Amino acid sequence: MEKNKYQRASKNTKKEVQTAFFQTDYGKSIKVRLNRLLIYSILLIVCTICFFIDSFIGDFSVSQIAVAIFCLIFASLFIWGRHYITVKNCNTYMINNPKDTKKKK
């Protein structure tokens, strides 16, 4: 079972680890994908809002509300997945690249 070092770290340590991870080659390539997920989720949320507004202003179509709910579910899944991938990869990076905590004398 993998340790959960990233979630137990302080806020500053998390920021440092994220910065260091996204400087690696793998981190740079995955950051593009994570940003794409964020853009997709924002667009889905905007579409959801448009579907809700159109449904309530128009003829109160149940099918539009159902589509809006599905879009909202997928947008939330994309945001959760983005967070999960970031935490998982940063945790693996922390485990595989431990910092020297020994004091130099």
Side-chain angles (χ1 to χ4, degrees), residues 44 47-73:
L44 278 172
C47 287
T48 300
I49 292 170
C50 290
F51 282 135
F52 274 129
I53 290 173
D54 187 41
S55 174
F56 289 125
I57 289 176
D59 58 354
F60 195 74
S61 174
V62 176
S63 63
Q64 284 182 341
I65 292 175
V67 169
I69 290 172
F70 281 122
C71 286
L72 189 62
I73 289 170

